[in-house]
């Protein structure tokens, strides 16, 4: 196999799907992972080269960037996000020779300023990371998805309340939203990494095909599942105490999710773009289609038919 030309960090969610797209097109890929475990073995089976490393350790990032000309930078929700972005920027400047660095950010950044305070600490880290990457002078492209359709808010938690009482129970008030599927974000990232031309935009904002309030979204679930689903607006603090706090999440992640919910109530997620279709030629997935493809996940198991 030729030497890898693309370095991918963050091999879960979007990153894993990006790798699958690139390998399907026979693009040689190197993946930076923290542990050589079964997930790393699965990446090798896809044909990716696996390198052990840590985005907060410059020497391992430098080794991963050896002979690479395109890079995808992402990491899970973490207090180390800004540190990792700073390490990547400084090492890529000194040791890399990148044609493009595609960074996964958040669409909330589009509405932030240097002094805004309404956002979560994680969202502030993304805003600062974008500044660092821009200051580096590297050929950076920022990909800013809105909330993911694959988020537990719209999948596991939605399934639980739909199965219990036929409600989509979330603390979003009358706010509108346009969540985007991980698969669509991955298609965009893979397309940007494959484009060696100079016409790439600096920022791509990714959403679903349209913004809707939660009553409309419940209607999408109803049509997909063939059963009545209605929106139940839950007070944010009650939802935090009765639902979120039981998930056992680290405080940093819990704070981020609560802030996302609060910003939804303030209608900060009311936006829609056609960037997914503009980059890939295929429209972003609608909520109804996303849910219909996972119908069994949202419907309660049916009792087995008696034998005989």
């Amino acid at each position: 196999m030729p030497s890898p030309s693309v370095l991918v960090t963050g091999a879960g969610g979007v990153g894993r799907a990006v790798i699958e797209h690139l390998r399907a097109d026979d693009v040689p890929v190197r993946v930076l992972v923290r542990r050589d475990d079964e997930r790393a073995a699965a990446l090798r089976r896809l044909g990716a080269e696996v390198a052990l490393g840590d985005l907060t350790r410059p020497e391992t990032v430098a080794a991963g960037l050896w002979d690479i000309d395109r890079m995808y930078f992402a990491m899970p929700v973490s207090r180390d996000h800004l540190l990792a972005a700073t390490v990547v920027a400084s090492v890529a400047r000194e040791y890399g020779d990148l044609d493009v660095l595609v960074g996964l950010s958040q669409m909330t950044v589009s509405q932030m300023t240097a002094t805004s305070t309404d956002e979560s600490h994680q969202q502030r880290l993304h805003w600062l990371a974008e500044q660092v990457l821009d200051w580096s002078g590297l050929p950076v492209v920022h990909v800013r998805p809105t909330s993911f359709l694959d988020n537990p808010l719209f999948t596991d938690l939605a399934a639980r309340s739909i199965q219990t009482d036929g409600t989509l129970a979330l603390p979003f008030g009358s706010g509108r939203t346009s969540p985007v599927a991980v698969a669509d974000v991955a298609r965009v990232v893979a397309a940007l990494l494959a484009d060696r031309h100079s016409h790439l935009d600096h920022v791509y904002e990714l959403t679903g095909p349209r913004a809707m309030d939660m009553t409309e979204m419940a209607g999408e679930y109803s049509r997909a599942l063939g059963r009545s689903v209605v929106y139940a607006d839950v007070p944010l603090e009650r939802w935090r105490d009765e639902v979120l706090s039981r998930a056992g999440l680290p405080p940093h992640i819990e704070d981020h999710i609560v802030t996302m919910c609060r910003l939804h109530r303030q209608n900060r997620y009311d936006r829609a773009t056609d960037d997914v279709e503009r980059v890939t030629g295929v429209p972003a997935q609608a909520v109804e289609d996303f849910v219909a493809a996972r119908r069994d996940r949202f419907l309660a198991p049916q009792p087995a038919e008696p034998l005989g």
Side-chain angles (χ1 to χ4, degrees):
M1 179 185 295
S3 297
S5 58
V6 177
L7 176 65
V8 172
T9 71
V14 174
R16 169 62 186 253
V18 168
I19 295 164
E20 291 174 350
H21 282 295
L22 294 175
R23 291 303 303 132
D25 292 334
D26 290 326
V27 176
V29 178
R30 179 180 299 142
V31 190
L32 194 67
V33 300
R34 298 186 68 177
R35 289 177 293 275
D36 195 351
D37 52 15
E38 174 51 37
R39 188 168 68 168
L43 297 173
R44 289 192 182 95
R45 290 193 290 271
L46 288 174
E49 176 188 307
V50 174
L52 294 180
D54 186 326
L55 289 173
T56 66
R57 293 177 55 198
E59 70 279 10
T60 65
V61 175
L65 277 169
W66 178 258
D67 209 24
I68 291 291
D69 54 28
R70 288 167 285 167
M71 179 179 181
Y72 169 61
F73 166 65
M75 66 186 306
V77 175
S78 169
R79 289 185 175 275
D80 287 335
H81 188 90
L82 179 58
L83 172 59
T86 305
V87 167
V88 166
S90 57
V91 171
R93 280 193 60 179
E94 186 169 347
Y95 295 99
D97 186 20
L98 294 176
D99 293 332
V100 65
L101 190 161
V102 178
L104 187 68
S105 186
Q106 295 188 3
M107 197 166 175
T108 312
V109 171
S110 304
Q111 301 172 325
M112 293 174 67
T113 68
T115 58
S116 59
T117 58
D118 287 341
E119 300 81 18
S120 71
H121 183 60
Q122 181 68 31
Q123 289 162 338
R124 173 56 53 185
L125 294 179
H126 276 277
W127 190 91
L128 292 168
E130 283 200 18
Q131 310 310 305
V132 169
L133 291 170
D134 288 343
W135 296 335
S136 73
L138 294 167
V140 176
V141 175
H142 300 295
V143 174
R144 297 175 180 167
T146 186
S147 55
F148 286 122
L149 257 177
D150 309 63
N151 188 299
L153 292 171
F154 303 115
T155 54
D156 295 340
L157 294 180
R160 189 181 307 167
S161 60
I162 288 170
Q163 292 170 12
T164 299
D165 58 11
T167 65
L168 185 61
L170 289 169
F172 287 4
S174 59
R176 296 167 63 82
T177 190
S178 56
V180 64
V182 162
D184 289 330
V185 176
R187 288 193 299 112
V188 170
V189 171
L192 296 176
L193 289 169
D195 193 332
R196 293 176 173 271
H197 303 294
S198 59
H199 65 266
L200 295 177
D201 291 348
H202 183 53
V203 174
Y204 292 91
E205 298 182 337
L206 309 184
T207 74
R210 69 185 184 95
M212 65 191 86
D213 63 29
M214 297 308 295
T215 297
E216 293 173 284
M217 182 171 285
E220 299 262 318
Y221 281 79
S222 293
R223 289 187 292 274
L225 300 176
R227 62 161 295 179
S228 174
V229 178
V230 298
Y231 173 50
D233 180 27
V234 184
L236 180 54
E237 286 307 313
R238 193 181 94 195
W239 183 84
R240 181 175 194 169
D241 292 341
E242 297 180 359
V243 178
L244 187 61
S245 63
R246 298 178 182 178
L249 299 172
H252 175 75
I253 297 178
E254 182 173 317
D255 171 70
H256 176 58
I257 294 173
V258 168
T259 301
M260 284 179 58
C261 293
R262 177 171 52 78
L263 294 181
H264 267 94
R265 293 186 78 88
Q266 295 173 0
N267 212 32
R268 287 275 296 274
Y269 282 79
D270 183 10
R271 52 245 179 146
T273 78
D274 64 353
D275 280 3
V276 171
E277 183 173 9
R278 187 161 63 89
V279 174
T280 68
V282 179
Q285 194 171 174
V287 173
E288 180 179 348
D289 296 333
F290 177 90
V291 174
R294 297 157 179 80
R295 194 170 186 272
D296 291 345
R297 183 175 179 180
F298 288 93
L299 295 177
Q302 299 298 311
E305 292 290 334
L307 298 177

